[in-house]
Amino acid sequence: MEKKNTVLLTVIAVATLLVAVVGATFAYFTAANSTTGDAAGNVNVNTATEGASLQLNVNKVTGSNNVFYPGTKNFVGATASAQFVDNNAPSDNKEYNVSYTLTGKVTLAESFVTPIEWELYETETDLSSGLITCGAITQYTPSATDEEPNPATVEGSKTQSCTLAPSLANDASKKVKSGTIATGETTATITHNGTVRTNGATVGATKYYYLVVTLPENGTNQNADATGKTITIAIDKIEQTGAAVAAS
């Protein structure tokens, strides 16, 4: 009888220890340090054989200018990738997902008559050099034969024609957030939760983020917005929030 009790107590003790180990391992996977701006932050992960440290690499991508006319598109960008510090990957050869939160902001120097549109895109392709193509800023001057000029092209108004790279414009899955800044408002804050994967000792795929802002040319009298108003676009920070073993 005493022998059976001893065996039972041993089984209970082993089970309790396993629960504690699993709980501690999960805590390591979800623990995180912050990553702000261009800096890199580390998050510790615990494997069956050893500890290792993951880091999130963050860089800003230079955008276009911030002066807007009807039809103008401008953007800023940022990148995120993950790797083990000093390429010191654990010996289990598992892949890990690193999670983070991106925060961006659009700020108008003054209120616009036309609602401002913004979109946040996520892609694994570097498009920073050809993301937006814009033509020259044009100014309409009515001729003597123009008896009733289009109200969108009254004398003194300026417009600009801009297009977004087809790989983003034609792929709705890459637009992760969108919205508008209504007439009378001057700011919009954008947040997005993302993940990147590191595959062993090397840096995994890089995620490219582009925050695109548009002052639409809508075919109405936009002369109040055709004087070159300023919009500030920023991806303020990408903060690391955790890490976990990637699903196989």
Side-chain angles (χ1 to χ4, degrees):
M1 188 67 169
E2 291 181 1
K3 185 175 181 180
K4 289 183 178 180
N5 287 338
T6 300
V7 172
L8 178 61
L9 290 173
T10 301
V11 170
I12 293 173
V14 171
T16 302
L17 179 60
L18 286 173
V19 170
V21 169
V22 170
T25 302
F26 179 76
Y28 270 107
F29 287 156
T30 57
N33 294 330
S34 294
T35 301
T36 303
D38 295 332
N42 299 335
V43 56
N44 293 325
V45 296
N46 191 40
T47 72
T49 56
E50 60 183 294
S53 185
L54 277 167
Q55 72 178 22
L56 180 69
N57 304 317
V58 178
N59 289 294
K60 300 291 180 66
V61 176
T62 302
S64 44
N65 66 70
N66 62 351
V67 178
F68 282 72
Y69 298 91
T72 298
K73 290 181 182 288
N74 287 332
F75 78 97
V76 294
T79 65
S81 62
Q83 69 182 110
F84 287 94
V85 175
D86 299 324
N87 289 328
N88 184 27
S91 58
D92 60 10
N93 293 319
K94 291 181 179 178
E95 294 185 330
Y96 287 83
N97 285 328
V98 179
S99 58
Y100 50 85
T101 298
L102 176 150
T103 304
K105 192 171 185 179
V106 180
T107 306
L108 314 185
E110 58 186 299
S111 178
F112 282 63
V113 175
T114 308
I116 303 301
E117 300 175 353
W118 60 263
E119 298 96 15
L120 179 66
Y121 293 90
E122 178 187 84
T123 179
E124 293 187 359
T125 304
D126 183 0
L127 298 170
S128 55
S129 62
L131 186 77
I132 291 174
T133 302
C134 288
I137 298 168
T138 61
Q139 182 168 339
Y140 176 77
T141 304
S143 68
T145 58
D146 286 337
E147 296 179 1
E148 296 181 3
N150 186 314
T153 55
V154 296
E155 185 173 7
S157 66
K158 295 181 179 180
T159 61
Q160 185 176 33
S161 177
C162 298
T163 58
L164 185 67
S167 61
L168 293 189
N170 299 333
D171 188 347
S173 68
K174 294 178 181 177
K175 183 193 294 186
V176 294
K177 289 285 178 70
S178 63
T180 60
I181 303 178
T183 303
E185 298 180 352
T186 56
T187 60
T189 299
I190 299 97
T191 59
H192 171 67
N193 296 322
T195 60
V196 285
R197 179 178 294 199
T198 178
N199 50 354
T202 62
V203 178
T206 297
K207 293 287 182 70
Y208 294 85
Y209 292 96
Y210 298 106
L211 179 55
V212 178
V213 174
T214 304
L215 170 56
E217 198 288 302
N218 57 23
T220 63
N221 190 340
Q222 294 176 266
N223 208 36
D225 291 332
T227 56
K229 293 183 177 180
T230 300
I231 300 178
T232 302
I233 316 167
I235 294 179
D236 294 322
K237 58 186 177 181
I238 297 178
E239 292 184 320
Q240 186 165 310
T241 56
V245 175
S248 57

